[in-house]
Structure formats: C-alpha cells, structure tokens
Amino acid sequence: IKCFILRVKKNENEVEYINPFENYNLKFEMDMFNNETKLNNERFSASLFVTFNESDFLKYDNINYDTMFKDIISTEYSDSYGQAINYFILNLLCAYDKKKDEEMLDCAIKTASWLYEKNNTDVNFLNKMQALYRRQSLSEEEIEKILQIKEATNNNEIIIGCSILLGEKHTYNHYMKKLSQERREEFLIYPISHLLNT
C-alpha cells in the first residue's frame, strides 16, 4: 500500500506527518511556469490536490476523492487557479482511462462542472463534456452547444475536440492535418483523444 502523506517541518528539530485527506483545510499557494515568458506567474491560493498528476492518481491508495473535491472548491477562485484545476481534470481523466475507477470519474465530472460555473469558457465546457461523455450519452442540448462552439471558433484544436465529442471522424482527420507535428503529438496525449477509441 502506498499512501500520500505530508511531511511538515514544525521547527529545526521536529517534523510532523499529516494525512491531507483527513486534515484538508490546510492553506497552500502555487505558481505556474509560463512557456511564453519562461517565467513563473504570480503565486495564487490553491488546493494541494490540484498538483496531483496522472501517476499520483494511479500510485496512491489513500486518496479520498470526495475530500479532494471539497478542498478544491473551498479554495478562493482565480483565473490562474482555474488553469491549474484544468490540468488537474485532464490528469484525473487520463488516470481514469487506465484504472476505470468510478470515484475518479465522479470527481472529474463534479470538478469540471464547478469550474464551468466559475468560468464558462469553451475549453471548460468541453472538458466538462468529455468527462460526462465517459459516463453517458450527451444530451441534445449539450450536442447543440458543442456544434455552436465548433462553428464559432477558428481554433483548430477546439474544432478537433468538438469533432471527437460529435463523432465526426472526417472533420477530426481534416483538422489534425492542419496541426504541426509537434502540436499533433501533444494533442494525442490529451484525454479527449482517448475517446476516439470508444
């Protein structure tokens, strides 16, 4: 059994070990590296749990997804925090696609839904949809919204994501060819590309 435990320095001579799933009202800050400026962005309040990556979800046995979700939504929202939550959702979906743990999917759906309520961007909507897609067929209203996003954007990657959710393989193939080799390889790492095989 592998457990995620925090080792906290109390003073020069003492350390304390904390299970963050039992004591989840701890306060944390983080920053994110900006690839364009090669600098870290300003620090912002964040849940410790948004730093989990795919391998963390697959490795640790003591994860409590309900606690994780509650801690994420109890932290003050900011645009930078929203970006970190998006990475959290994508990592969690990648782990779910390997492990098929329904608690993972529940957490991804709830977190993506909450994030879309906080910031109703097209990307946040599509991430919510790709989480739901793993559980159930999308509603006519949801499909209509995806069609509207696809028709209104000139972002090839958003069009590709919409095409996957709509089952439009010809559109997917057409726009994938428009991406550079580097972007194509990166896109295929995203969990939405896993839906091509469903």
Side-chain angles (χ1 to χ4, degrees), residues 38-149:
K38 304 300 180 188
L39 297 171
N40 288 340
N41 293 325
E42 287 186 22
R43 295 183 71 77
F44 54 90
S45 297
S47 165
L48 166 70
F49 301 124
V50 298
T51 65
F52 275 48
N53 59 35
E54 178 186 346
S55 64
D56 293 329
F57 293 119
L58 296 172
K59 178 177 20 175
Y60 295 117
D61 298 302
N62 67 323
I63 295 175
N64 182 316
Y65 289 98
D66 189 50
T67 297
M68 187 174 266
F69 171 69
K70 287 176 181 174
D71 189 58
I72 288 170
I73 67 171
S74 69
T75 303
E76 181 183 359
Y77 180 80
S78 66
D79 287 341
S80 294
Y81 184 46
Q83 187 179 356
I85 294 172
N86 252 327
Y87 287 121
F88 165 86
I89 293 165
L90 298 181
N91 277 298
L92 184 52
L93 289 175
C94 283
Y96 168 78
D97 288 342
K98 290 183 178 175
K99 195 171 181 181
K100 300 299 182 187
D101 181 329
E102 288 301 310
E103 286 187 310
M104 287 181 173
L105 186 56
D106 285 341
C107 184
I109 291 170
K110 289 191 298 185
T111 306
S113 299
W114 178 83
L115 181 58
Y116 182 63
E117 287 176 14
K118 288 290 182 183
N119 188 4
N120 59 349
T121 65
D122 291 345
V123 169
N124 288 347
F125 180 77
L126 294 177
N127 283 337
K128 176 183 174 182
M129 290 301 100
Q130 70 158 312
L132 282 171
Y133 188 98
R134 287 165 165 82
R135 165 87 27 97
Q136 64 199 39
S137 298
L138 300 181
S139 69
E140 288 298 320
E141 183 180 337
E142 290 163 345
I143 290 170
E144 182 61 32
K145 172 74 172 172
I146 295 168
L147 284 166
Q148 290 172 4
I149 290 171

Side-chain angles (χ1 to χ4, degrees), residues 155-192:
N155 182 310
N156 289 340
E157 293 183 30
I158 289 180
I159 294 171
I160 292 167
C162 291
S163 301
I164 292 170
L165 292 169
L166 295 168
E168 297 177 349
K169 291 188 177 179
H170 292 298
T171 306
Y172 165 82
N173 290 331
H174 175 76
Y175 282 93
M176 279 296 278
K177 290 174 185 174
K178 291 177 175 284
L179 298 183
S180 68
Q181 180 68 23
E182 182 182 356
R183 289 301 301 152
R184 192 157 50 241
E185 289 174 1
E186 187 174 337
F187 188 88
L188 290 172
I189 296 171
Y190 297 158
I192 197 165

